[in-house]
Amino acid sequence: MSAPTKRVLLAKPRGYCAGVDRAVITVEKALETYGPPVYVRKEIVHNRHVVETLRERGAIFVEEADEVPEGALVVFSAHGVAPVVHEQAAARNLRTIDATCPLVTKVHFEAKRFAKDDYDILLIGHEGHEEVEGTAGEAPEHVQLVDKAEDVDKVVVRDPAKVIWLSQTTLSVDETMERVDQLRERFPGLQNPPSDDICYATQNRQVAVKAMAPACELVLVVGSQNSSNSKRLVEVAVQAGARASYLVDYAHEVSESWLEGVTTVGVTSGASVPDTLVMDLLAWLAERGYADVDEVTTANEKIAFALPPELRRDLKASKENPA
């Protein structure tokens, strides 16, 4: 009897979302337009390869705006920043380019709007994540973070009729709704955000993994350990039926032992991962007999975001007045 054919199921969509694409291009164009160094507050996106590549080209990554020399140029990452960060940058006379993903900006606007109307805002997200810090910073006196199930019992609201939930854009859809259901048990009047906070790309990548995982003994997710949406894909894969799932930055991090007894390997990548890393993984798998690749498509993404206005203005000026 012949051995079963080894194969790869490749999720689509995977990899770069529109917000990540915009943020990475922003730093690349800033380096081209203004020349290095270009300072970037925090990691522009949560991917090791992207950060190291931009660092080699002259980007300098800092933790806070006060590490940037007075008057220099700083790019704010795709995850967004609190108003206090803009104030710190202005106090140091920094030139700023805000590469916050427009979908994160939308959640910031929601936080400001509901704080203005004096709501208690329950923000579902991971403690310490840059996006959560930026959103909570819009209305710190109105926002309470709900991360784990036990946080639900700690929430205190002033008026149960004026409570709304918002969420970090990169969470697991299922886990978020589980938290919302727990909150609603305590606060039946809990209101939903005016539009879905979880990013379209995060949802699409999770849907693709759910479609693929039941047929896979192993799902490999390309992404970095500090990438929230990539870590969620690992969890979703196992919940959807994969026997095992692992997160790797590079193909060489895959352990040969993971492939023992595996006929079908699922492959996907987080929203901040360039596709070249996925292609490297496919080549690595092909060398080990997994050369047959079938793409599992659950959506076709056509969304693109314009570059930040301050960068667009300078790009236009440099075209009109070439040196």
Side-chain angles (χ1 to χ4, degrees):
M1 195 170 144
S2 61
T5 307
K6 291 179 176 180
R7 63 172 182 157
V8 173
L9 295 183
L10 179 61
K12 182 182 177 186
R14 63 181 179 276
Y16 270 14
C17 62
V20 163
D21 199 37
R22 173 183 187 262
V24 174
I25 291 172
T26 293
V27 178
E28 291 172 345
K29 292 287 185 190
L31 286 163
E32 286 170 25
T33 307
Y34 313 112
V38 168
Y39 290 86
V40 183
R41 183 186 177 274
K42 307 286 187 183
E43 292 190 352
I44 186 68
V45 297
H46 285 158
N47 183 263
R48 227 166 85 194
H49 175 79
V50 170
V51 169
E52 286 167 5
T53 303
L54 291 172
R55 187 178 279 128
E56 285 165 12
R57 294 181 58 178
I60 296 176
F61 293 89
V62 297
E63 282 300 299
E64 295 299 343
D66 61 11
E67 296 170 53
V68 180
E70 290 227 8
L73 173 70
V74 63
V75 178
F76 295 139
S77 82
H79 307 104
V81 297
V84 67
V85 176
H86 287 283
E87 291 161 15
Q88 288 165 352
R92 295 183 61 76
N93 197 28
L94 302 180
R95 291 154 58 214
T96 62
I97 297 176
D98 191 350
T100 301
C101 173
L103 299 178
V104 174
T105 300
K106 176 182 78 74
V107 183
H108 281 228
F109 282 140
E110 289 171 352
K112 285 191 282 191
R113 173 184 154 193
F114 287 100
K116 190 179 172 193
D117 291 340
D118 205 28
Y119 274 73
D120 282 313
I121 300 166
L122 309 184
L123 178 60
I124 300 170
H126 295 307
E127 190 168 2
H129 192 280
E130 288 145 51
E131 186 189 324
V132 162
E133 290 176 353
T135 301
E138 293 287 359
E141 67 288 356
H142 287 266
V143 172
Q144 295 175 69
L145 180 63
V146 179
D147 185 346
K148 301 177 177 64
E150 51 265 32
D151 296 336
V152 172
D153 295 329
K154 299 172 191 168
V155 171
V156 178
V157 304
R158 294 163 299 154
D159 179 355
K162 291 193 79 171
V163 189
I164 189 161
W165 70 271
L166 302 178
S167 88
Q168 182 181 329
T169 62
T170 54
L171 299 182
S172 152
V173 181
D174 296 338
E175 187 185 3
T176 301
M177 294 320 296
E178 189 181 309
R179 209 65 75 239
V180 170
D181 291 343
Q182 290 164 343
L183 285 167
R184 194 160 272 134
E185 278 181 27
R186 282 203 62 201
F187 310 108
L190 179 69
Q191 295 183 36
N192 296 324
S195 62
D196 200 345
D197 283 351
I198 294 184
C199 147
Y200 77 93
T202 297
Q203 294 191 48
N204 286 349
R205 278 145 194 72
Q206 290 175 16
V207 168
V209 165
K210 284 179 184 177
M212 179 179 76
C216 304
E217 293 97 341
L218 171 68
V219 172
L220 298 174
V221 179
V222 183
S224 293
Q225 286 295 335
N226 62 341
S227 166
S228 176
N229 79 88
S230 299
K231 288 173 84 169
R232 300 294 83 74
L233 290 174
V234 172
E235 295 167 5
V236 168
V238 173
Q239 287 162 0
R243 198 168 66 202
S245 183
Y246 298 98
L247 183 64
V248 294
D249 265 295
Y250 300 104
H252 66 76
E253 294 174 1
V254 179
S255 169
E256 302 267 0
S257 64
W258 299 346
L259 299 173
E260 286 173 18
V262 170
T263 304
T264 303
V265 180
V267 170
T268 189
S269 57
S272 46
V273 177
D275 216 39
T276 177
L277 299 181
V278 175
M279 295 305 118
D280 289 347
L281 177 57
L282 293 180
W284 188 93
L285 288 166
E287 288 169 6
R288 285 149 184 85
Y290 299 87
D292 183 9
V293 179
D294 293 320
E295 204 160 48
V296 177
T297 304
T298 53
N300 285 302
E301 295 177 350
K302 294 184 171 63
I303 292 175
F305 295 134
L307 291 172
E310 52 272 42
L311 180 59
R312 289 205 309 272
R313 182 192 62 224
D314 290 351
L315 286 170
K316 186 182 176 190
S318 65
K319 279 180 187 168
E320 289 171 355
N321 307 295

